[in-house]
Amino acid sequence: VAVITGGASGIGRSTAIKFVERGGRVVISDIQDDAGATLARELGDKSVYMHADVTQEADIIAIVGEADRRWGRLDLMFNNAGAGGDPASVDTISAEGWDRTMDLLLRSALLGIRHASTVMKRQGHGTIVSTSSSAARMPGLAATAYSVAKMGVLYLTKCAAFELAAYSIRVNCVCPGLIATPLIGKAMGLGL
């Protein structure tokens, strides 16, 4: 049983499809309601779509709770939702733009880890995966706020893995490079 944030498109959508193809059940969450609901219908009764804004803790609590209520467990939490964040340079970014980017890309991963681990500790196992970025490893690949947030996800993953290992909860992240998703297409002006 998985919860996938940002599951209506891109990496999240592909993950949801593969997960169900291999026998899993999945809560697909996103703010793209039409795309998410369509995907859940295509995947059948092994999936459900829920609107979730990952900057809202109550929404994260709700999607984790839905997996636990519906299927009695949570094996995988995939903190995948994201966007490009504030594109301003370090010398022009506003405090508000910085905070919005951190809330969407870093704070949401923390909240996903926090609330998924509650269920996983109770059941004695689980896996948490968060999407970082190759931009976390080298300055200049993306805007500063995005890069810093994704580096934060990388380090948060290491800290959470250390703290949750005693409960048989594995915590990892992926650091994809450029992948032809709607997020990258928009950033590059490709109209994907």
Side-chain angles (χ1 to χ4, degrees):
V1 173
V3 170
I4 301 174
T5 68
S9 65
I11 294 169
R13 182 180 192 281
S14 295
T15 303
I17 291 167
K18 288 291 183 192
F19 203 77
V20 170
E21 284 175 353
R22 294 179 182 187
R25 292 162 288 178
V26 63
V27 175
I28 302 163
S29 69
D30 210 302
I31 58 172
Q32 300 177 76
D33 295 330
D34 290 341
T38 298
L39 178 58
R41 277 193 305 277
E42 290 170 4
L43 295 177
D45 63 359
K46 292 188 175 187
S47 70
V48 62
Y49 172 73
M50 289 183 67
H51 177 93
D53 176 348
V54 294
T55 67
Q56 303 301 310
E57 186 171 13
D59 287 4
I60 293 175
I61 292 168
I63 58 178
V64 167
E66 179 65 16
D68 191 29
R69 183 195 64 74
R70 183 177 289 258
W71 291 301
R73 60 189 300 136
L74 177 58
D75 301 298
L76 170 67
M77 178 71 185
F78 186 17
N79 297 307
N80 176 66
D86 194 307
S89 63
V90 71
D91 59 331
T92 62
I93 192 167
S94 68
E96 294 80 14
W98 180 269
D99 290 346
R100 278 193 309 275
T101 303
M102 294 302 142
D103 284 353
L104 176 60
L105 300 175
L106 179 55
R107 181 177 178 267
S108 66
L110 167 69
L111 294 174
I113 292 167
R114 168 134 170 37
H115 293 293
S117 68
T118 300
V119 175
M120 293 174 178
K121 284 166 126 179
R122 184 188 75 225
Q123 66 194 22
H125 66 87
T127 299
I128 301 170
V129 178
S130 299
T131 300
S132 180
S133 170
S134 59
R137 299 188 172 273
M138 181 180 293
L141 295 180
T144 297
Y146 179 90
S147 297
V148 170
K150 291 301 189 175
M151 184 60 185
V153 170
L154 189 63
Y155 204 75
L156 171 63
T157 298
K158 292 179 180 188
C159 293
F162 179 79
E163 292 182 23
L164 296 174
Y167 303 98
S168 297
I169 300 171
R170 294 179 301 145
V171 186
N172 292 286
C173 71
V174 292
C175 297
L178 292 177
I179 297 175
T181 65
L183 173 64
I184 296 298
K186 182 179 177 184
M188 298 182 78
L190 300 177
L192 292 176

